[in-house]
Amino acid sequence: MTNNFHIPENHPRAESLRIREKLIEGFERGLVALAGLIAHGRGECFDYILGEKTLPFAFEAEKAAVAMMLLSKNPVISVNGNVAALCADEIVKFAKTVDAKVEVNLFYRSLKREAKIAEILKNKGLEVILGVGCEASSEIPNLSSLRRKVSPKGIFLADTVLLAIEDGDRTEALRKMGKNVIAIDLNPFSRTALWASITIVDNVVRALPNMIKIAENLRFEDRFKLKSILTSYNNCENLCKIVDFMCRRLKIFAEKGLLKPNMTSKIEVLEKRIISEIIGER
Ligand code: ATP
């Protein structure tokens, strides 16, 4: 923890504080950009509205995403500073489970930061890390930021790119190149969320461990089964369900006055009812 900051186990927001501390530590080690801390705050706000848990709709997207990764010829995981600081272990484990390449790609690009992120991933057991320095010698068309520079063996060649905690320009540009994009983004209204082929509205710290477990179960399934998971998934409908859940959850707070801290169990009962109504309705 930074500056020996101690988070009491019984603190009601202990997990959220631990995540913040990881990012601050990542910032101090030169992995995370200052703007990355602000981007995290935007995510936290949406996570609060979601109830800080994986919704069944997000889990469905995670399952479809794993099926897509397993079906792809050249799946690539794009890693930025926030993702490296929050879940380097999980990135390495997931990449190995679905046999994907890993590429560093940064909005605030600097060789020093790229090398630091690559070093972290290497220390976690990943042998090849693409996109560092002049290895990123190909360009994504119609993208002005430095993230246009990508590895010819990685994102440029990929049929599917998994990315998290990103703004929308690159997702749009990748989709226009004909690639599948899987985005982990807590904001269902972001351009990334709207442009992605599969949008996982979940915190990356919950999504990746879920996806590792799903991948461990699905990796030996035949392509027919994987294709059926993918074809029965509809991203647009899934996003609607998430937004529907958010609206209804906010509505019960507004109408029933559930803002007192001791109302947790009552909220949980109501949330379950909302979820089963949404699942039943469509
Ligand atoms: P867009 O251009 O796609 O509309 P944006 O401008 O909001 O997006 P950024 O400011 O780069 O993009 O923010 C990154 C996105 O990552 C935000 O949508 C935020 O909700 C999301 N985010 C932040 N932290 C997390 C996290 N831990 N897990 C998943 N998503 C996150």
Side-chain angles (χ1 to χ4, degrees):
M1 289 293 129
T2 51
N3 305 321
N4 297 320
F5 179 64
H6 173 68
I7 300 167
E9 270 315 307
N10 61 352
H11 190 290
R13 308 213 44 77
E15 186 50 27
S16 171
L17 292 178
R18 269 195 289 274
I19 297 172
R20 278 191 189 176
E21 282 299 307
K22 268 192 174 181
L23 278 173
I24 296 169
E25 203 182 299
F27 174 71
E28 287 171 349
R29 286 160 73 198
L31 295 173
V32 175
L34 188 54
L37 300 178
I38 299 168
H40 181 73
R42 185 174 293 174
E44 276 184 336
C45 174
F46 285 98
D47 211 8
Y48 223 110
I49 298 174
L50 289 168
E52 295 171 303
K53 51 185 169 257
T54 301
L55 292 176
F57 320 114
F59 193 80
E60 237 182 88
E62 285 158 10
K63 198 168 168 192
V66 171
M68 184 179 264
M69 292 293 277
L70 290 168
L71 284 166
S72 299
K73 275 197 188 125
N74 283 304
V76 174
I77 304 172
S78 179
V79 175
N80 63 19
N82 285 41
V83 173
L86 291 177
C87 12
D89 278 312
E90 289 80 3
I91 287 290
V92 174
K93 190 152 187 207
F94 186 61
K96 288 185 176 176
T97 316
V98 298
D99 200 14
K101 292 176 190 154
V102 176
E103 176 162 346
V104 179
N105 185 277
L106 308 177
F107 189 85
Y108 297 99
R109 199 172 195 126
S110 83
L111 183 56
K112 204 169 157 193
R113 213 151 72 80
E114 286 167 11
K116 280 219 161 110
I117 293 170
E119 188 191 321
I120 297 280
L121 296 169
K122 206 157 235 170
N123 289 342
K124 303 283 180 192
L126 197 66
E127 278 161 30
V128 180
I129 296 117
L130 302 169
V132 178
C134 56
E135 201 276 323
S137 58
S138 294
E139 292 204 354
I140 300 174
N142 305 315
L143 189 63
S144 49
S145 73
L146 281 174
R147 283 178 315 160
R148 71 180 181 276
K149 290 181 172 295
V150 289
S151 165
K153 295 185 216 147
I155 290 171
F156 194 77
L157 187 73
D159 47 358
T160 298
V161 180
L162 167 66
L163 48 83
I165 318 179
E166 282 233 354
D167 76 356
D169 300 27
R170 193 167 64 117
T171 306
E172 182 177 345
L174 289 170
R175 292 288 280 138
K176 286 182 175 164
M177 282 176 88
K179 298 180 191 298
N180 300 311
V181 176
I182 299 165
I184 304 173
D185 189 335
L186 280 161
N187 176 3
F189 309 105
S190 74
R191 287 172 307 149
T192 306
L194 301 177
W195 270 98
S197 326
I198 296 180
T199 312
I200 298 168
V201 182
D202 200 0
N203 197 317
V204 73
V205 301
R206 295 189 299 266
L208 280 171
N210 288 344
M211 289 166 80
I212 291 167
K213 281 196 202 122
I214 296 168
E216 280 165 352
N217 287 327
L218 288 185
R219 62 194 288 212
F220 300 114
E221 292 289 352
D222 58 37
R223 293 181 70 80
F224 181 76
K225 161 97 192 220
L226 297 175
K227 276 183 190 161
S228 78
I229 292 172
L230 208 48
T231 49
S232 61
Y233 174 80
N234 181 322
N235 200 51
C236 195
E237 262 181 25
N238 198 274
L239 274 172
C240 291
K241 286 177 188 168
I242 303 251
V243 175
D244 193 0
F245 174 85
M246 284 174 150
C247 293
R248 293 199 206 190
R249 189 169 189 268
L250 289 176
K251 207 158 174 255
I252 61 170
F253 278 97
E255 286 177 355
K256 299 193 192 283
L258 292 173
L259 296 170
K260 293 189 210 96
N262 61 357
M263 295 300 272
T264 317
S265 57
K266 196 164 181 194
I267 294 167
E268 277 170 3
V269 170
L270 285 165
E271 281 172 356
K272 277 192 190 135
R273 195 184 303 161
I274 295 172
I275 289 169
S276 59
E277 273 175 28
I278 294 172
I279 290 170
E281 261 175 25
R282 298 194 188 245

